[in-house]
Amino acid sequence: MAQKVSGTLLGTWLLIPEHLRLGSWDLLKSWTGDNSSGIEPRLALQMVHESALCTTGIRQTRSLCHQGFELANGLPYIATDEEIHYLLNEHSIDEAKQLQIKLALLRQCLGHYKSDILAFDPHRIRTYSRRIMPKKKSRPNERSNPVLQTFFSLDVQTGQPLGFTIGSSGRTTTRASLSQRDVFDRVVRNDGYDFTIK
């Protein structure tokens, strides 16, 4: 075990107590529909850990410097892009939204949302999708790259995320904000709070 767990991604193991506190494993099993502890929840856990590290390229490199990352996901290997894409293709955006709502309800019970103001934060992130996407520059002297419109909703006081959605050419910021408003209503209004969206 000592030879298998090393490298720069060892900190992923520090997320395990938080997973236990939030019940992340049960949420992922519910989302994947796999109650037998099969591979699908483990693939989903790898995506969660990749997101927590805010890094890309883990799947592409699959190198020795990532020893221990696969074990934290409960896998004997780092899953490939193809495996992750198969998993995501089996689920709808609505299922992902329901997962976000369940997680936000758990976090609301734990007191992660303290403010009476929620921020709606649009971002454009670089994408590697093969779809035709708008191209934007982050700086005038850089070349344009395809970007994906994303929308985050956050508790203003704690900075904790409440929800997330993506945009498209047919989905305006207004329509995306209404979608996030639905998440607000289902999560925070259950506790009797009257939240303002900024």
Side-chain angles (χ1 to χ4, degrees), residues 184-197:
F184 296 151
D185 289 340
R186 293 184 62 185
V187 174
V188 296
R189 297 205 193 277
N190 287 342
D191 273 358
Y193 292 105
D194 187 22
F195 278 79
T196 305
I197 299 173

Side-chain angles (χ1 to χ4, degrees), residues 6-23:
S6 62
T8 58
L9 302 179
L10 191 59
T12 309
W13 287 81
L14 299 175
L15 293 174
I16 292 174
E18 190 67 16
H19 286 315
L20 293 172
R21 196 166 66 90
L22 284 176

Side-chain angles (χ1 to χ4, degrees), residues 12-170:
T12 309
W13 287 81
L14 299 175
L15 293 174
I16 292 174
E18 190 67 16
H19 286 315
L20 293 172
R21 196 166 66 90
L22 284 176
S24 308
W25 182 249
D26 293 329
L27 285 173
L28 293 175
K29 285 191 340 184
S30 170
W31 177 70
T32 59
D34 183 356
N35 293 322
S36 63
S37 295
I39 195 165
E40 288 85 5
R42 298 170 198 282
L43 295 173
L45 188 60
Q46 177 174 315
M47 288 190 298
V48 169
H49 287 155
E50 287 173 357
S51 299
L53 293 170
C54 298
T55 187
T56 59
I58 291 176
R59 285 183 246 149
Q60 292 93 329
T61 56
R62 287 187 210 91
S63 66
L64 290 174
C65 66
H66 296 160
Q67 288 182 332
F69 182 73
E70 69 278 4
L71 292 178
N73 304 322
L75 294 167
Y77 61 92
I78 295 177
T80 64
D81 286 340
E82 190 175 17
E83 288 174 299
I84 298 295
H85 291 165
Y86 282 137
L87 174 67
L88 293 175
N89 284 337
E90 292 175 5
H91 300 282
S92 67
I93 291 176
D94 191 52
E95 288 175 321
K97 185 177 176 182
Q98 295 306 316
L99 175 68
Q100 285 185 44
I101 290 171
K102 289 177 186 175
L103 179 60
L105 286 169
L106 285 171
R107 297 189 73 199
Q108 176 73 355
C109 292
L110 293 171
H112 290 191
Y113 308 122
K114 299 184 186 304
S115 177
D116 60 349
I117 300 173
L118 295 172
F120 183 71
D121 192 13
H123 283 276
R124 289 188 176 102
I125 59 172
R126 185 174 180 183
T127 180
Y128 295 93
S129 173
R130 293 182 184 157
R131 296 180 186 170
I132 297 172
M133 306 288 257
K135 292 186 175 186
K136 303 281 183 186
K137 294 181 180 185
S138 54
R139 293 187 185 90
N141 58 347
E142 292 180 355
R143 66 177 252 240
S144 300
N145 291 307
V147 294
L148 175 68
Q149 181 71 54
T150 59
F151 305 97
F152 296 88
S153 45
L154 311 162
D155 180 288
V156 173
Q157 184 176 343
T158 63
Q160 294 297 317
L162 181 71
F164 165 81
T165 189
I166 60 173
S168 66
S169 58

